[in-house]
Structures are given as C-alpha cells and as structure tokens.
Amino acid sequence: MATPPRAATSVRTDLFLYALAGASYVGASIVEKGLLNWIVGPAWCVAVVAGVPALGRKLRQLRPGKRAAP
Amino acid sequence: MSWAAHQFEIYAVQAHLPKKMRGKVSFFAIFLGDFTPDFLSKFWVYGITINGVRYGADEPHVWHRGWPGMGFTHTLFLGALLTAGIWLLRRNRAWTIGYLLGFAAHALTDVNDSVGTMLLFPFTTLNWSVHTWKYAATADGGKYLDGAAYYSSLGFAMDVFWLLVVLASWRVLTREYWRTHVVPADPYVWSWLGRWFGERGLLAIYRSVFFYGVCRLVAWTTWAHLVANPVIGGVRYDGYPWDLSWTGPWWIPGREIQQVPVWVVLPFTLALLAAVYWTAIRLWDRMEPRPRV
C-alpha cells in the first residue's frame, strides 16, 4: 500500500488533534461549566494540539527498543 | 449580551479587513479590542460567592451596560480613547487599527440584546437596543440561567450566524493564511511565542479563540437542552424550552434601560459600523510610517 504524502498525514493528524481537543473539552465542560472560560478554553486547545504530539515524542524516546545504541 | 459571537467576530473582522490592510493588521490587537469591554465590566455581573455570600452587582444589566455603571466600557467613546492611547504609546498602526476594529465589533454587536449599549455616550446615556433576545444576567440566576436563556433564544442563532460568517471565509483559519496574513502583521509576538511552540502550537494559539467559541456554543446548548431539568412556573421541563421568536425566551422577565426608539437602532448601528471602517481606512494612510532620512 502506498504511503500517504506527508502533508496529507499532517492534515489528518491536525484534524484528529482538534477533534480530540474539542470532544474532550465539550465533554468536560458540560459536567463542569466552570471550565468554559476565556483562559481554560484556548489553553485546552493549545495543550492538546501541541502537547499530545510532544508527549508522544517523549514517550517514543523513552521506549527502550528505540534508544540509540551506545 | 453575545456569547460565542464575540469569539467568531474576531475572525470575521480579520477575514474582512479592507484590501489595503490585509496582512498588516494585528490579530492580537483585534482580539484585545474585542475582549476589552467584557474584561472591564463582566467580572461583577455574575459576581463571586464566598462562604455563601454573593459579592456582585445587584442589578447586573445596569452595571454591565448602564450609566452610572460600567456601561461606558461598551461605548465607541472608550474604544476611541483607548485606541488613541495605543497610538500615542506605540505609534504602531497594525495594533491601533486592529484594536479599534475589534472594540467596535464588540460594542456594536451588543445592541442585539434587550439592554443594548450606550452608542452615543457621553453625549447621551440612552441605550440602543434591537431587542433580538432578552438580556438574562441576573443576581439570582447567575451565569447558568444567562447561558440557558441565551442558547434558547435568537442569541443561539446569532452565534450560529457568526460561525457561518467565519466558515464562509474558512481560509482565515488555514495554515497558509496564518503564515501569509497573520504572522507578518505581528512578527515580534509570533517570534517570541516561537521560542516555546513549534508551528503546530503557534497555529493552535491562533485558532484557539475560534475553538473556544465552537466548544462554548456546543457545550452550553447541549447542557441547556439535553442535560438541565429546569422548573419554570411550577412545571419541570426536560431541558430549557426553545424560543426563537423576537425578544425571547418567554420564560424569563425582560430587562431594559431607558432607550432610544427601536426602529432607529439598526440603521444607526450599521451607519456607525461604516463610519468606523471609513475612519480606520483614513487613519491607516495617515499612520503610515515615514521613511527615515
């Protein structure tokens, strides 16, 4: 199977991240409406969209099999 | 008051800048201008409760939009003063004009609720209102009742309208637009933020207010109509009743401040909007940086 071009993969990843951020924020804020404010809303978006990939990269680096040989 | 509409209108202003200003007006300034009126006034509208005692305005609508009160925060007069202050401090037309347009967008769109804004302050303290929906912030009901009323009335339609305006100009949300129109207008701010964030993070910052608006619209509407079980007039409802008629919803009392006749408001507001854009265009040319000799 052909590998999708990098740009298409990036768009799909972005869509997934924004959807994840939106679904989690809406779900959490229906339960706790105190989360619906000017600070938490934008911060939630940035934290998920920028933070999840960064966390993924950190975790991949920590996996023993992926460490560079000494 | 408007809710998510204020988040969407920032992108609508950004997408519909006059041709000569495209790629040159600060997005952050539009955001700050739009944010200022409620930032200065809204903290006391709902108030805070400590140990069961509520501290806040007794008449939130008077505090928020009236005089005496903080109603001057929603006037073009204050917008003009702050805009002049920014120009005197920074001599930066990207920020000055962006702030003016953002502030005007907020003050003018708030004429839709039943309280409206003092458009001609300080010449008159009469409020200008189209009465599209009821202003619902009250000392007893707090934010929940306000949100439920707004998202059961034409306020909901207002949010959806502004969302559609932004979606009709969807390119304003793209990476390409951000690179070519938003970053060049604010190179230092984006460069400073770039010390901590990669491009994905910076783009998320740019889109985050839109994200918040969409989530706010969905979350409050879902809560008001699918989760809440209010008792209105002794009857328990599954969700707050919708009322998309003019000056809805029917299930809360209306609040008003002495106002000008309603038929004057819409044409006058549109004329003021045109005047703000005309002024911004005229100022833009006059504020052009002069080349150093």
Side-chain angles (χ1 to χ4, degrees):
Chain A
M1 188 188 290
T3 312
R6 191 173 167 75
T9 315
S10 173
V11 168
R12 275 208 293 270
T13 308
D14 279 356
L15 279 175
F16 168 74
L17 289 169
Y18 281 100
L20 176 68
S24 57
Y25 183 54
V26 167
S29 56
I30 287 173
V31 177
E32 174 48 62
K33 278 175 289 303
L35 295 173
L36 284 166
N37 67 55
W38 273 94
I39 297 167
V40 175
W44 192 293
C45 173
V46 176
V48 173
V49 173
V52 167
L55 191 66
R57 279 194 299 275
K58 282 273 182 215
L59 288 175
R60 274 199 298 276
Q61 282 171 5
L62 290 175
R63 276 165 60 187
K66 293 283 181 183
R67 279 190 185 150
Chain B
M1 63 186 83
S2 299
W3 287 49
H6 288 317
Q7 279 84 69
F8 299 141
E9 70 199 12
I10 295 168
Y11 296 88
V13 169
Q14 172 72 43
H16 296 94
L17 287 169
K19 201 170 180 180
K20 64 169 83 172
M21 298 182 196
R22 287 179 196 160
K24 296 173 183 169
V25 171
S26 164
F27 173 77
F28 289 112
I30 299 173
F31 165 76
L32 280 176
D34 199 279
F35 185 65
T36 300
D38 279 347
F39 178 73
L40 293 177
S41 61
K42 216 168 170 184
F43 67 97
W44 207 240
V45 168
Y46 301 122
I48 50 168
T49 302
I50 302 171
N51 292 330
V53 181
R54 178 184 176 274
Y55 300 92
D58 292 332
E59 292 184 293
H61 64 293
V62 178
W63 164 268
H64 192 192
R65 302 281 184 72
W67 181 262
M70 292 295 278
F72 70 92
T73 58
H74 286 64
T75 63
L76 293 180
F77 174 70
L78 182 70
L81 278 186
L82 294 175
T83 299
I86 289 171
W87 173 248
L88 291 174
L89 280 175
R90 301 292 305 266
R91 299 277 168 185
N92 181 327
R93 65 176 181 170
W95 271 76
T96 306
I97 297 300
Y99 189 87
L100 173 67
L101 295 177
F103 197 105
H106 189 122
L108 294 177
T109 51
D110 271 353
V111 300
N112 278 286
D113 63 47
S114 62
V115 173
T117 58
M118 296 186 289
L119 286 184
L120 287 187
F121 181 88
F123 305 108
T124 168
T125 54
L126 288 175
N127 278 51
W128 299 65
S129 162
V130 188
H131 290 264
T132 316
W133 59 85
K134 280 182 185 145
Y135 182 102
T138 58
D140 299 332
K143 195 172 187 177
Y144 284 24
L145 184 64
D146 192 10
Y150 181 81
Y151 285 109
S152 302
S153 69
L154 284 175
F156 168 80
M158 182 70 161
D159 277 11
V160 172
F161 167 77
W162 281 102
L163 174 61
L164 292 177
V165 169
V166 177
L167 292 180
S169 321
W170 57 271
R171 283 191 176 81
V172 75
L173 296 170
T174 61
R175 185 184 301 256
E176 185 63 20
Y177 184 95
W178 173 75
R179 281 180 181 162
T180 56
H181 287 72
V182 177
V183 175
D186 259 324
Y188 299 114
V189 179
W190 289 109
S191 153
W192 181 75
L193 288 169
R195 290 156 64 180
W196 292 282
F197 296 96
E199 190 178 63
R200 178 176 273 145
L202 295 173
L203 200 54
I205 291 172
Y206 170 61
R207 292 168 174 160
S208 63
V209 180
F210 178 79
F211 167 89
Y212 172 54
V214 172
C215 291
R216 195 182 190 196
L217 169 61
V218 174
W220 275 107
T221 307
T222 305
W223 171 78
H225 300 289
L226 298 178
V227 178
N229 296 112
V231 177
I232 300 169
V235 179
R236 178 170 289 279
Y237 288 83
D238 289 331
Y240 284 90
W242 284 98
D243 180 4
L244 298 180
S245 64
W246 207 260
T247 321
W250 56 264
W251 42 266
I252 54 159
R255 276 161 191 82
E256 292 181 10
I257 299 178
Q258 197 177 11
Q259 293 171 351
V260 299
V262 68
W263 60 271
V264 184
V265 178
L266 191 57
F268 188 76
T269 305
L270 291 173
L272 272 183
L273 179 64
V276 168
Y277 267 84
W278 181 82
T279 307
I281 291 167
R282 293 294 299 266
L283 287 176
W284 184 258
D285 291 332
R286 286 169 179 241
M287 289 172 169
E288 187 165 12
R290 298 205 175 110
R292 289 179 186 170
V293 181

